[in-house]
Amino acid sequence: MTNNFLTTIKSLKLIEGCKAAQFYAFSSVGAAASTSGDAGAGSSNSGCGGRPAPPPPPKSFSMRSGSLYNPTPSTSSGAEPHLPYGLPVAEALEPALDACLRPVDHVAALAASFRRVSKAMANNDDLCDAYLEQHALLCWTGDARLLRRALRAARVHADDPHRRVVLSAWLRYERREDELDPAPPPLAPCTETTPLLECPHAAVFASGTGVDAVCPCRRPPATPSATGVNDLEKAEDADDAGSLTEEEDEPAEESRSNDDLWFVIGEEEIPCERACIAALSKPLNTLLYGGFAESKRDRIDLSRDGISARGMRAVAAYSRNGTLTGFPPNTVSELLAFANKFCCEGLKSACDHALAAMVRGVDDALTLIDLGLDEASHLLVAACLQAFLRDLPKSLTNPDVARLLCTTEGRDLLDAAGNASFALYYFLSQVAMEQDARSNATVMLLERLIESATLPWQKQLALHQLGCVMMARGEFEDAQGWFEEAAAQGHVYSLAGVARAKAKRGHKYAAYKLMNTVVADHDESPTGWMYQERSLYCSGKEKMPDLHAATELDPTLTYPYKYRAFALLEEDNVESAVAEVSRVIGFRMATDCLELRAWLYLVLEEYELAVQDVRAILTLDPGYMMFHGRMHGDQLVEHLRGYVQLWDMADCWMQLYDRWSAVDDIGSLAVVQHMLAREPGNGGLRFRQSLLLLRLNCQKAAMRSLRLARNCSVHEHDRLVYEGWILYDSGHREEALAKAEQSIKLQRSFEAFFLKAYALGDSNLDTESALSVVQLLEHANSCASDNLRKGQAYNNMGSIYVDCDMLDEAVECYEIALNIKHTRAHQGLARVHYLKNRKHAAFDEMTKLVKIATNSASAYEKRSEYGERDAAKSDLNTATLLDPTRTYPYRYRAAVLMDENKEEEAIAELSHVIAFKPDLQLLHLRAAFFDSMGDNASTLRDCEAALCLDPTHSDTLELYSKATMKAEPQQS
């Protein structure tokens, strides 16, 4: 394998630098499950208001006249002004390879991972790496909740400071969007709202492991102690462990009558107690009491042993009282060197702790890291490493840090100090790939990851990721080699990388043959990506069967939709192309799909709709580059300014009201983005943006908008409300309530009362408490606000009344909400009709919502609860068509099939969705079906996979226990 990217260390080029519509706590589990799917609801294709007549098109224009395969912008005089870069390019639609593990049978892989964790627990083995494996296996799902749970479990079971440091920094990095501005220093002590597992002091200094660890930041002040470690902890808590730049005088040396040994250093004599010095280590005890000449001397010359008189006085002081309190860093450094030279383990540990406590940032870490590496000080190096990790990705732009973390020599030094691990380079490589997958630093970190890999899954992951990076760099020969090594380790998905590299090197037929072999080898359990990858090496209509097979097996793959839309564009059938790409946008807000649809709208000269999609893209990714990376989205919006109707803020509010009422979430998002372009410092608009993003299941973008809302708030009471929502969304309900109450004391406002009501409603309340929440919502509606938010409040009040069995009051609230065009109130009113035994009226009420929200899968799903079996089946089929990721329709159809004794069909129905969406409820249901069919092995497998996703799920635990007892007699 050639490494032509690295010829010398000096050439290293481093990285440049909604809340929901109802109070779920008051609803039954089934109701919550069926209503929580508003996220991802499809948008209306209605335009953003009337549009003026665009400039006349060129005299001759055909879809085929565009430069379909020309990646450069058209410069001819006949170029379309609204299509500055021609038409989409087929090659640019090609999907990127997933830089993660993708098992062919992910259910079996999850089950095997659960068994490994269980075995490690039973044998009291290391669990940290077992949970890291789960993290790697779950990456392809993109489920942030599952990934964070796996990381947290790994951190809980990290039994050494090094891995605690790495995993706590990783958890903090993944949660960086939650931080308020100004952000606290990376190594600041944790607060009441800081998760214990992310505390930097707990990572280095916590006593105990896992959930029993005690965080030093929350520990009561230590009482005076004779032990050095306790004194260090006390100094750390008081933040007075010493400065790295100050020269302090050591404690005054008092004359002692029992001094019986003097160490001579230069012209100075340092008095000591022979017994105390001998007690520091066995070598010193042997030196002073053994058969050496020094045992008979009362003066010993240490002038050539590398310690100063000041340092020796500190050794003498430590030998008497066992504390390092008051010594400056340079003196402690001397003590550390002395401890290593004479094997004084207690002294070394005390010095290690003291110096680690002095690391408060990257500058301190850069000052002390060489000392820690030279003296193999495990804790000091861990503390320095933590400073670098907490400052990622910025710290990787520092040449000294990058040299330590990226190079082989740096890894060897860290390893000698007990601070090199697969977990470290796994984290670093993820950050580097996220920042710049093509950089030399990314390649070097992945090489270190490969060197650290010992287990099969670790080798598969590291080799595959390096192959992906080499592909991105255009080094196809090297990429093919790394992919082949990953495939040799058992990672079948890496064969897709081998095929890609071969095709890029001009061997397209060899690539097709390889993927054809993969498909043939897995004909009994094919996956969507196999057919997608094979389609890349077919031409014309030969692609279509594979693309249709890929969508049937895995409808979440976006490339088949995009290519089919492109093919329809080539046939001048642009309307059908728009409809095709809109299918996937209806359940997945992917920026590349929105970009393609905006491009198609430009072809149709539907400028309003094109700008709407571009604004939605900019909301998700403010830096997005359109036209395959050639024009910034903001620039395109400005370019189309003359083609669309211009709105003032009053027009925008009217448009927002109409789209919100029409359940057009993407249209609403675009209008809000338009308004923010005019008033970027409007915190209220940022907050509405976050609500819409939550509804569209864009959690990361929603949190970013919420932070911006807080940071640009002019008034303190508004800032407190947004901080409250950030805390609530981060799991800190009590702190969120406190923020709401502080805001109300400053000024009564709709949002403050709404936040307080929402936070209080997030628990199982009795009727009296629930009605107090209603009162808070009434207070909210008595404050100034617009009908969009007031409709939400009335809708929530209706939900509470329903759960309190006060149906007439609920009807009144829902009708008020509907009168101010809060369309989703139809769903609550339908529920009231159903509870009053008016099922047909409930169905009709939901039909009203379906007619307005024509592309809402959740509306069809909810209506299915009130229809007869055939009507319910039709609605659920429509829901699956609109959003194939919703699991309730599959579970319902499977249950019906089981009732009809069609067991194989029921299993097939569930297996179809499990193949692309490993869901806890689906796995549990299939396990129960297998159990009823007497297939105990399949029951065990599905239970284990489900428990890998949630090890506390009681129903699955019960079923698993039952299946395990059945299996024991067979094994015996």
Side-chain angles (χ1 to χ4, degrees):
M1 191 70 59
T2 61
N3 285 331
N4 53 16
F5 63 90
L6 179 62
T7 56
T8 175
I9 297 301
K10 293 182 180 179
S11 69
L12 174 63
K13 181 179 180 181
L14 303 171
I15 300 175
E16 289 79 15
C18 240
K19 308 309 161 196
Q22 308 221 6
F23 281 99
Y24 298 154
F26 298 124
S27 304
S28 65
V29 174
S34 63
T35 59
S36 62
D38 284 345
S43 69
S44 167
N45 285 339
S46 59
C48 298
R51 60 184 172 91
K59 293 181 180 179
S60 60
F61 174 71
S62 166
M63 296 302 134
R64 298 181 187 278
S65 68
S67 179
L68 293 176
Y69 293 93
N70 183 5
T72 59
S74 175
T75 57
S76 66
S77 59
E80 298 292 336
H82 59 286
L83 290 170
Y85 291 93
L87 298 181
V89 181
E91 286 81 357
L93 301 177
E94 186 175 291
L97 286 165
D98 292 333
C100 59
L101 295 180
R102 286 207 67 158
V104 174
D105 186 349
H106 60 261
V107 174
L110 292 174
S113 177
F114 174 79
R115 290 194 297 272
R116 279 190 286 274
V117 168
S118 300
K119 183 178 179 181
M121 285 182 177
N123 298 335
N124 202 24
D125 292 336
D126 180 42
L127 281 163
C128 183
D129 283 343
Y131 283 113
L132 271 181
E133 179 188 11
Q134 286 189 5
H135 180 273
L137 288 173
L138 292 168
C139 273
W140 73 272
T141 68
D143 190 321
R145 182 183 57 83
L146 290 176
L147 292 173
R148 186 165 182 81
R149 185 192 63 77
L151 270 185
R152 283 175 56 83
R155 166 64 180 87
V156 165
H157 292 93
D159 55 4
D160 61 283
H162 167 69
R163 287 190 297 181
R164 291 203 300 263
V165 158
V166 171
L167 294 168
S168 64
W170 195 343
L171 284 167
R172 184 66 196 89
Y173 181 82
E174 294 296 333
R175 204 178 58 85
R176 63 195 182 279
E177 292 292 340
D178 299 353
E179 197 61 73
L180 300 176
D181 288 338
L187 297 181
C190 67
T191 64
E192 291 181 357
T193 60
T194 305
L196 171 61
L197 297 179
E198 295 177 20
C199 174
H201 288 195
V204 179
F205 300 106
S207 57
T209 59
V211 295
D212 299 322
V214 179
C215 175
C217 306
R218 308 177 193 189
R219 184 184 302 150
T223 55
S225 169
T227 65
V229 172
N230 281 345
D231 274 313
L232 291 168
E233 290 169 349
K234 183 170 63 177
E236 172 199 330
D237 290 337
D239 202 28
D240 62 357
S243 167
L244 299 185
T245 57
E246 295 177 355
E247 289 293 327
E248 300 179 17
D249 294 330
E250 67 272 14
E253 184 72 22
E254 299 178 3
S255 60
R256 296 174 180 270
S257 59
N258 50 355
D259 290 340
D260 57 355
L261 177 66
W262 288 261
F263 286 101
V264 180
I265 299 176
E267 297 181 356
E268 293 193 52
E269 293 185 353
I270 294 87
C272 304
E273 294 182 40
R274 183 182 295 268
C276 291
I277 296 294
L280 291 177
S281 71
K282 287 185 177 180
L284 285 174
N285 184 72
T286 302
L287 178 71
L288 299 177
Y289 287 107
F292 294 94
E294 286 79 0
S295 63
K296 304 187 185 315
R297 298 175 182 170
D298 57 6
R299 282 171 173 74
I300 300 174
D301 191 355
L302 289 184
S303 300
R304 299 179 182 178
D305 285 273
I307 189 169
S308 67
R310 180 176 186 162
M312 198 60 223
R313 279 194 290 272
V315 172
Y318 176 84
S319 71
R320 293 188 179 102
N321 54 39
T323 179
L324 296 177
T325 301
F327 291 115
N330 59 346
T331 301
V332 180
S333 301
E334 281 196 80
L335 293 182
L336 179 61
F338 179 90
N340 270 331
K341 185 166 188 176
F342 292 99
C343 304
C344 307
E345 293 302 324
L347 177 58
K348 179 177 180 179
S349 177
C351 293
D352 207 2
H353 274 76
L355 291 168
M358 296 175 189
V359 178
R360 301 190 186 92
V362 173
D363 291 341
D364 292 344
L366 288 171
T367 302
L368 290 171
I369 186 65
D370 288 336
L371 171 67
L373 294 172
D374 291 343
E375 302 296 342
S377 297
H378 177 67
L379 208 62
L380 174 58
V381 174
C384 294
L385 185 61
Q386 176 168 246
F388 302 146
L389 297 181
R390 294 273 173 154
D391 201 37
L392 288 171
K394 179 183 175 182
S395 58
L396 276 178
T397 63
N398 184 306
D400 294 326
V401 176
R403 190 175 298 112
L404 174 68
L405 298 180
C406 298
T407 64
T408 301
E409 294 82 357
R411 179 184 175 277
D412 291 342
L413 289 172
L414 289 172
D415 191 35
N419 277 275
S421 65
F422 182 86
L424 170 64
Y425 293 105
Y426 186 14
F427 174 34
L428 287 170
S429 60
Q430 294 301 108
V431 173
M433 286 191 292
E434 182 180 306
Q435 295 300 309
D436 183 2
R438 297 177 177 85
S439 71
N440 286 347
T442 302
V443 175
M444 297 174 73
L445 286 169
L446 286 169
E447 288 185 324
R448 305 294 81 75
L449 186 67
I450 291 172
E451 293 168 0
S452 304
T454 55
L455 301 174
W457 73 268
Q458 295 176 344
K459 296 176 182 178
Q460 292 174 19
L461 176 65
L463 292 164
H464 178 77
Q465 288 187 332
L466 187 50
C468 290
V469 167
M470 287 301 190
M471 281 289 291
R473 289 164 62 96
E475 300 179 27
F476 304 124
E477 184 177 357
D478 281 355
Q480 182 177 331
W482 293 117
F483 283 132
E484 287 173 344
E485 288 194 36
Q489 292 292 330
H491 192 229
V492 175
Y493 180 65
S494 292
L495 292 174
V498 176
R500 294 275 191 107
K502 286 185 175 182
K504 292 293 184 182
R505 297 175 65 201
H507 308 299
K508 189 173 181 179
Y509 182 63
Y512 174 82
K513 283 174 58 179
L514 175 59
M515 289 312 304
N516 195 47
T517 301
V518 172
V519 172
D521 289 345
H522 299 88
D523 59 339
E524 293 185 1
S525 57
T527 59
W529 65 260
M530 295 177 182
Y531 286 94
Q532 174 179 276
E533 292 297 319
R534 190 172 70 175
S535 75
L536 298 176
Y537 315 115
C538 302
S539 301
K541 293 186 177 180
E542 294 177 1
K543 280 180 174 285
M544 291 305 169
D546 276 354
L547 291 175
H548 287 306
T551 300
E552 175 64 24
L553 291 167
D554 186 353
T556 65
L557 297 172
T558 61
Y559 173 71
Y561 300 93
K562 293 194 294 181
Y563 188 86
R564 285 191 293 263
F566 173 80
L568 290 165
L569 173 64
E570 281 195 303
E571 298 170 1
D572 289 354
N573 192 353
V574 190
E575 291 84 358
S576 297
V578 169
E580 180 64 27
V581 76
S582 294
R583 288 174 57 196
V584 66
I585 292 173
F587 63 88
R588 183 170 180 181
M589 281 281 287
T591 51
D592 57 337
C593 295
L594 284 166
E595 176 191 12
L596 179 57
R597 190 171 72 173
W599 210 331
L600 295 172
Y601 281 140
L602 289 177
V603 174
L604 289 171
E605 300 179 25
E606 293 283 357
Y607 304 111
E608 301 282 1
L609 293 173
V611 169
Q612 174 177 290
D613 279 354
V614 176
R615 290 193 182 281
I617 291 170
L618 291 172
T619 303
L620 297 171
D621 183 356
Y624 195 85
M625 301 293 290
M626 300 290 295
F627 303 123
H628 303 323
R630 295 183 181 87
M631 177 185 280
H632 193 279
D634 281 329
Q635 187 180 352
L636 177 58
V637 171
E638 185 62 28
H639 178 75
L640 296 173
R641 186 180 179 84
Y643 295 81
V644 298
Q645 180 174 337
L646 302 179
W647 299 330
D648 57 23
M649 288 300 285
D651 294 327
C652 288
W653 277 110
M654 292 178 62
Q655 294 294 331
L656 179 59
Y657 188 72
D658 289 343
R659 277 155 183 69
W660 197 290
S661 301
V663 200
D664 178 7
D665 293 333
I666 293 180
S668 300
L669 205 60
V671 175
V672 172
Q673 202 276 343
H674 186 183
M675 298 166 79
L676 283 167
R678 288 174 171 267
E679 299 182 4
N682 191 321
L685 288 174
R686 289 288 181 190
F687 179 61
R688 290 176 190 279
Q689 189 179 64
S690 73
L691 301 180
L692 286 164
L693 288 166
L694 280 176
R695 186 178 291 166
L696 289 163
N697 204 24
C698 303
Q699 303 285 341
K700 188 174 181 179
M703 184 59 74
R704 182 179 65 240
S705 294
L706 196 51
R707 287 182 64 209
L708 288 171
R710 182 266 182 192
N711 295 338
C712 66
S713 295
V714 176
H715 303 293
E716 179 65 17
H717 66 272
D718 289 332
R719 186 179 297 112
L720 288 167
V721 169
Y722 303 141
E723 288 178 2
W725 280 119
I726 292 171
L727 289 167
Y728 180 85
D729 290 340
S730 304
H732 302 287
R733 175 176 166 273
E734 295 300 326
E735 291 81 1
L737 270 172
K739 293 286 185 181
E741 290 167 354
Q742 290 176 42
S743 179
I744 291 169
K745 287 179 181 178
L746 291 177
Q747 181 169 324
R748 292 165 60 91
S749 68
F750 176 92
E751 295 300 348
F753 279 115
F754 191 92
L755 170 60
K756 185 175 180 180
Y758 200 92
L760 285 173
D762 188 17
S763 59
N764 295 320
L765 302 178
D766 55 29
T767 300
E768 183 179 353
S769 300
L771 292 179
S772 68
V773 175
V774 171
Q775 189 175 23
L776 286 170
L777 291 171
E778 289 174 343
H779 288 324
N781 278 336
S782 69
C783 300
S785 186
D786 56 79
N787 284 342
L788 297 177
R789 295 297 285 150
K790 288 192 175 185
Q792 180 76 67
Y794 280 115
N795 192 68
N796 288 356
M797 288 164 63
S799 298
I800 298 171
Y801 279 131
V802 168
D803 291 318
C804 293
D805 201 26
M806 301 171 68
L807 301 184
D808 292 337
E809 290 82 353
V811 169
E812 182 180 353
C813 289
Y814 287 133
E815 288 179 345
I816 294 174
L818 289 171
N819 287 336
I820 54 179
K821 294 189 176 181
H822 188 79
T823 311
R824 286 180 171 86
H826 283 297
Q827 183 170 311
L829 199 52
R831 185 181 172 203
V832 173
H833 286 311
Y834 180 76
L835 292 173
K836 290 185 173 183
N837 295 319
R838 298 201 296 259
K839 189 175 180 181
H840 184 71
F843 185 87
D844 291 343
E845 193 67 39
M846 282 305 301
T847 300
K848 296 176 184 178
L849 178 57
V850 166
K851 287 180 179 178
I852 298 171
T854 54
N855 294 322
S856 173
S858 65
Y860 282 99
E861 183 180 296
K862 190 64 181 177
R863 189 174 72 167
S864 72
E865 297 180 19
Y866 309 127
E868 301 302 327
R869 175 168 284 199
D870 290 341
K873 202 171 181 181
S874 175
D875 277 349
L876 290 175
N877 288 339
T878 303
T880 298
L881 189 65
L882 292 171
D883 184 355
T885 65
R886 300 182 70 87
T887 61
Y888 173 73
Y890 299 96
R891 289 186 280 127
Y892 177 90
R893 289 190 291 264
V896 170
L897 288 167
M898 283 297 285
D899 288 344
E900 296 172 353
N901 294 320
K902 298 178 180 178
E903 296 174 340
E904 295 300 329
E905 291 90 335
I907 294 295
E909 179 70 25
L910 294 175
S911 298
H912 172 67
V913 63
I914 288 172
F916 63 85
K917 185 181 176 71
D919 175 81
L920 174 65
Q921 297 292 341
L922 292 170
L923 287 166
H924 171 74
L925 184 58
R926 193 172 71 170
F929 286 177
F930 278 129
D931 182 61
S932 68
M933 295 164 62
D935 188 344
N936 203 57
S938 298
T939 303
L940 285 170
R941 179 203 61 202
D942 281 1
C943 283
E944 289 164 348
L947 292 172
C948 186
L949 301 177
D950 183 0
T952 64
H953 191 247
S954 57
D955 291 342
T956 304
L957 285 169
E958 182 180 348
L959 182 59
Y960 185 57
S961 176
K962 175 183 171 184
T964 303
M965 287 189 289
K966 286 183 180 179
E968 288 174 354
Q970 298 174 4
Q971 293 173 353
S972 59

